[in-house]
Amino acid sequence: MRSICYTYSFLLTICIACNGDALNEGTQSDTEEKIVNQALLVKTDSVKKRTFAAKIISNGKMATSQEIQLYFQSAGVLNEIFARNGADVARGELLASICNEAQKLAVAEATLQLNESKVEIDDQLITQGGKKGDSTSVSAEVYDYIKFKSGYNRAVLALQKANFELSKTFLYAPTSGTVANLFTTRYNVVSTTDPFCTLISKSDILVRCTILESELSMVAIGQRATIIPTSMPSGSYNAVVESVNPVVTSHGLVDLTLKVISPDKRLLTGMNVQVQITKSFDNQIVVPKTAVVERNGRKVVFTYEKGAAKWNYVNVGQENDTELVISAGIQEGQELIVSGNTNLGHGTPVRKEDDTLR
């Protein structure tokens, strides 16, 4: 009987022990699964060096290499207008004229006086023993005296002046270009102080913009750029940097002038455009902007190490729309957390998107 009791007690002890081991095993498994489930889900990428395309974006305005305001040299009433806004004109082409009857009369009167002086010269040549119409039939000194006495020199000057005054009633294009800012109409009075119109030369279409002083090292004469007009967001034009103004303004800005390659008539003076200048830098550590967060006023990235996020202070260099250069703080080959890093701290448990719970 006693032997049976000992046997029963032994078996009961073994059962209890086995149940305890099973319970402990289940509890440990549940804890591990809970820890994994609580780890933040992140996306990672390997840190690599590659070429980085830095981009400067600025706002600018279209301009031309030559924009001339045209004025009448004499005030008067507009008689004819031969130009219109947007019209292309050639050098020497007549653009407009003002009423000039008085100037034409002055030319006619001066011409008459000149002819009268010529008749007087012929009479004086005969009187001085020469031949009519032959200035060499008398000495040079005598002929100069004849011209002076006949009023010939004065008549020549009077005719030149009359023709000059008549010429001021016409407005010609001093060079080829496109007419702009012509707002007056026929029979209106024009003055010598207000421009009649503007003549725009479209041989060279320019863009003027400003960049930050810190961006100046990325710009060089002849560097390529892209021009995107605000009115044509889906269209773009190629351009090159033509000049850099060697002055930094009080606001830390530098003025640039770019020349548009192959412009067309859609580009208008004063048009607002976006300027994009790109420069490539080789052998750079390039990361997505989403990988960089700010902690305690400094730039930070997190790397993935053995299921935890590790905090790394970094120095940021050039950047573009989506990426930036890390100049110090991480090394090639590290596993960088590129998303899901908003709420991370040093040592926060994390799991990668491609990790599988077991």
Side-chain angles (χ1 to χ4, degrees), residues 144-161:
D144 287 341
Y145 171 76
I146 291 174
K147 287 196 298 181
F148 177 78
K149 186 176 181 181
S150 66
Y152 175 82
N153 292 335
R154 185 179 297 276
V156 169
L157 288 175
L159 181 58
Q160 290 176 347
K161 181 180 179 181

Side-chain angles (χ1 to χ4, degrees), residues 60-163:
K61 281 187 177 291
M62 303 297 305
T64 61
S65 60
Q66 192 174 53
E67 187 172 320
I68 309 169
Q69 289 187 326
L70 301 183
Y71 297 80
F72 271 98
Q73 296 183 22
S74 181
V77 178
L78 275 170
N79 182 43
E80 294 287 348
I81 299 177
F82 304 100
R84 58 178 175 79
N85 283 325
D88 293 329
V89 295
R91 180 180 179 180
E93 187 171 335
L94 179 61
L95 304 179
S97 66
I98 59 176
C99 295
N100 52 19
E101 285 78 6
Q103 289 83 356
K104 288 179 179 179
L105 286 174
V107 170
E109 182 178 6
T111 301
L112 178 60
Q113 291 174 351
L114 180 61
N115 291 334
E116 289 175 348
S117 69
K118 290 178 179 179
V119 172
E120 181 64 21
I121 287 176
D122 286 340
D123 290 344
Q124 290 295 325
L125 282 173
I126 296 173
T127 301
Q128 296 296 329
K131 296 180 181 179
K132 179 181 178 181
D134 186 359
S135 61
T136 62
S137 61
V138 296
S139 66
E141 292 80 3
V142 172
Y143 187 68
D144 287 341
Y145 171 76
I146 291 174
K147 287 196 298 181
F148 177 78
K149 186 176 181 181
S150 66
Y152 175 82
N153 292 335
R154 185 179 297 276
V156 169
L157 288 175
L159 181 58
Q160 290 176 347
K161 181 180 179 181
N163 280 321

Side-chain angles (χ1 to χ4, degrees), residues 22-91:
L23 181 61
N24 289 336
E25 183 179 350
T27 302
Q28 183 178 358
S29 177
D30 291 343
T31 301
E32 291 177 352
E33 184 175 351
K34 184 177 181 181
I35 291 174
V36 172
N37 286 334
Q38 288 179 344
L40 297 177
L41 186 65
V42 296
K43 184 177 181 180
T44 64
D45 195 7
S46 179
V47 177
K48 298 177 182 178
K49 287 187 176 181
R50 58 182 176 85
T51 300
F52 176 73
K55 183 180 292 185
I56 298 175
I57 298 178
S58 177
N59 293 321
K61 281 187 177 291
M62 303 297 305
T64 61
S65 60
Q66 192 174 53
E67 187 172 320
I68 309 169
Q69 289 187 326
L70 301 183
Y71 297 80
F72 271 98
Q73 296 183 22
S74 181
V77 178
L78 275 170
N79 182 43
E80 294 287 348
I81 299 177
F82 304 100
R84 58 178 175 79
N85 283 325
D88 293 329
V89 295
R91 180 180 179 180

Side-chain angles (χ1 to χ4, degrees), residues 119-357:
V119 172
E120 181 64 21
I121 287 176
D122 286 340
D123 290 344
Q124 290 295 325
L125 282 173
I126 296 173
T127 301
Q128 296 296 329
K131 296 180 181 179
K132 179 181 178 181
D134 186 359
S135 61
T136 62
S137 61
V138 296
S139 66
E141 292 80 3
V142 172
Y143 187 68
D144 287 341
Y145 171 76
I146 291 174
K147 287 196 298 181
F148 177 78
K149 186 176 181 181
S150 66
Y152 175 82
N153 292 335
R154 185 179 297 276
V156 169
L157 288 175
L159 181 58
Q160 290 176 347
K161 181 180 179 181
N163 280 321
F164 177 67
E165 292 299 323
L166 178 62
S167 70
K168 293 195 297 184
T169 65
F170 300 96
L171 185 64
Y172 295 92
T175 184
S176 59
T178 303
V179 177
N181 298 331
L182 200 170
F183 300 118
T184 190
T185 56
R186 192 179 180 190
Y187 304 127
N188 281 314
V189 176
V190 294
S191 69
T192 58
T193 57
D194 297 320
F196 172 75
C197 68
T198 302
L199 191 61
I200 299 173
S201 172
K202 289 196 173 182
S203 57
D204 290 332
I205 301 297
L206 307 177
V207 174
R208 294 190 171 93
C209 68
T210 58
I211 61 172
L212 297 174
E213 180 183 358
S214 59
E215 298 171 329
L216 189 57
S217 61
M218 293 174 54
V219 177
I221 303 299
Q223 188 171 352
R224 292 276 178 157
T226 301
I227 308 300
I228 304 175
T230 303
S231 60
M232 296 180 285
S234 59
S236 64
Y237 297 82
N238 293 323
V240 294
V241 178
E242 185 174 72
S243 66
V244 179
N245 190 32
V247 176
V248 179
T249 69
S250 58
H251 299 290
L253 301 175
V254 178
D255 293 319
L256 297 185
T257 300
L258 300 94
K259 181 179 178 180
V260 180
I261 301 172
S262 301
D264 56 38
K265 282 185 169 294
R266 295 183 298 173
L267 297 180
L268 306 178
T269 301
M271 179 179 282
N272 294 305
V273 298
Q274 183 186 83
V275 179
Q276 297 181 358
I277 303 175
T278 303
K279 184 175 182 179
S280 296
F281 295 87
D282 296 330
N283 201 33
Q284 303 292 316
I285 292 180
V286 183
V287 303
K289 284 187 173 181
T290 56
V292 181
V293 295
E294 191 166 313
R295 297 287 190 272
N296 301 325
R298 295 183 62 182
K299 301 295 184 182
V300 171
V301 299
F302 290 94
T303 52
Y304 178 87
E305 299 180 25
K306 298 179 180 180
K310 298 300 180 181
W311 178 309
N312 303 266
Y313 286 115
V314 293
N315 295 332
V316 175
Q318 303 289 349
E319 61 181 85
N320 57 29
D321 296 340
T322 59
E323 299 175 320
L324 49 79
V325 172
I326 300 296
S327 56
I330 57 174
Q331 296 180 351
E332 189 175 14
Q334 289 184 278
E335 194 166 6
L336 182 68
I337 297 176
V338 297
S339 67
N341 54 354
T342 306
N343 299 315
L344 294 183
H346 187 68
T348 301
V350 293
R351 60 187 176 91
K352 295 185 288 184
E353 286 186 353
D354 57 352
D355 284 348
T356 303
L357 294 178

